[in-house]
Amino acid sequence: MPLPAVVDLGRIAAVVFDTDGVVTDTAGVHAAAWKQVFDPFLREYADRSGGRFRPFDAGGEYLRHVDGKSRRDGVEDFLRSRGIAPDPETVADLAARKDAFFLAEIRRNGVAAFPSTVEVVRELRRRGVRTAVVSASRNCARVLHAAAADHLFDVRIDGVEAARLGLAGKPDPALFLKAAEELGVSPRRTAVVEDALAGVRAGRRGGFGLVIGVDRHGSGDALRAAGADIVVGDLAELRLAGRSGEPLAPHLRR
């Protein structure tokens, strides 16, 4: 039986949120950008090898092999899943093309934050719970700013920081562990909120006190199997219990 969707703030002092699909409604934009990149490559590969062209599945394959990972890791994992050896030049080219498609879409249509997530983050901060945001993307700061959500978090650990510090990507827990360290809270007193299987696995491997899976794709069973303690369709389903708290001090707000 899954646990009720309750976050006990008596034992949770900080919450680390994934960005795409949890804070911002951009997971679909990422998936569409990957399809724009992978389909022409797969068609050309099929023509060269004499195989059958099978397009990229922006649903299942995106979730299994790409979601939550750095661009390079996503390219490599997807190509391997298709039996294609990922050479460095191809990986770099596909990753760069995907980035260009994604940024063009953001410029055209902007970015929206999930209202329920914004409400939860604000309530956590009102109760004195520290908050961080993580992302494998180097575009995290730009996305959060476009969504007017960058001020909601005390700490941001993104693809730029990961590269600077040499942090491994998900499902390695390095991004989340660094966020907890920067917040000054131990992992066992920190919750992780993720919609990607790789991110849920990272939260479980990192020994975090609570791992919350956000099921926006009908993948609740997979999120539980990956290690989520709680699975919700939207953060509006969460109930915060305990710690009436005080608002965070002004110097901690961004």
Side-chain angles (χ1 to χ4, degrees), residues 12 14 176-177 180-181 185-192 206-210:
I12 294 297
F176 291 126
L177 291 172
E181 177 188 330
V185 181
S186 68
R188 66 183 177 80
R189 297 203 66 216
T190 302
V192 165
F208 286 85
L210 182 66

Side-chain angles (χ1 to χ4, degrees), residues 5-24:
V6 176
V7 179
D8 179 3
L9 300 181
R11 66 184 188 90
I12 294 297
V15 182
V16 181
F17 295 82
D18 176 49
T19 305
D20 297 303
V22 174
V23 177
T24 59

Side-chain angles (χ1 to χ4, degrees), residues 12-254:
I12 294 297
V15 182
V16 181
F17 295 82
D18 176 49
T19 305
D20 297 303
V22 174
V23 177
T24 59
D25 191 5
T26 42
V29 182
H30 281 288
W34 280 121
K35 186 168 180 62
Q36 285 182 283
V37 168
F38 282 139
D39 278 0
F41 170 82
L42 292 169
R43 189 180 297 280
E44 182 183 341
Y45 183 83
D47 290 343
R48 288 199 319 268
S49 64
R52 180 175 64 89
F53 168 63
R54 182 159 54 94
F56 175 69
D57 177 6
E61 287 186 310
Y62 172 73
L63 295 176
R64 287 192 301 274
H65 304 300
V66 180
D67 190 23
K69 300 174 183 176
S70 70
R71 287 195 298 275
R72 286 176 176 266
D73 287 349
V75 172
E76 290 180 355
D77 289 355
F78 171 67
L79 293 184
R80 288 193 186 103
S81 77
R82 290 294 190 93
I84 303 171
D87 66 89
E89 185 176 345
T90 298
V91 170
D93 179 60
L94 292 174
R97 288 194 210 174
K98 185 268 175 180
D99 193 41
F101 279 125
F102 176 76
L103 291 176
E105 182 64 20
I106 294 302
R107 284 192 294 268
R108 278 194 300 267
N109 297 314
V111 180
F114 289 103
S116 56
T117 299
V118 171
E119 184 176 343
V120 166
V121 175
R122 285 176 174 161
E123 181 60 17
L124 287 168
R125 292 173 68 79
R126 189 191 71 78
R127 298 191 190 202
V129 177
R130 304 202 68 189
T131 57
V133 64
V134 304
S135 175
S137 173
R138 292 172 180 262
N139 297 314
C140 179
R142 187 179 308 189
V143 167
L144 290 173
H145 182 72
D150 44 355
H151 66 290
L152 296 172
F153 304 99
D154 305 305
V155 168
R156 183 186 75 248
I157 305 295
D158 58 15
V160 175
E161 280 293 282
R164 184 178 71 83
L165 298 171
L167 302 177
K170 306 171 195 176
D172 189 286
L175 292 174
F176 291 126
L177 291 172
K178 184 60 177 177
E181 177 188 330
E182 291 292 317
L183 290 172
V185 181
S186 68
R188 66 183 177 80
R189 297 203 66 216
T190 302
V192 165
V193 187
E194 260 283 1
D195 71 320
L197 296 176
V200 168
R201 292 187 184 109
R204 180 52 57 224
R205 292 176 186 180
F208 286 85
L210 182 66
V211 180
I212 301 170
V214 182
D215 177 16
R216 302 199 192 276
H217 313 287
S219 56
D221 289 343
L223 290 168
R224 291 185 187 91
D229 300 301
I230 293 172
V231 175
V232 295
D234 185 86
L235 293 194
E237 299 170 31
L238 286 181
R239 184 165 68 85
L240 305 180
R243 189 197 282 246
S244 57
E246 296 295 331
L248 289 179
H251 72 279
L252 294 179
R253 295 178 182 152
R254 292 186 183 180

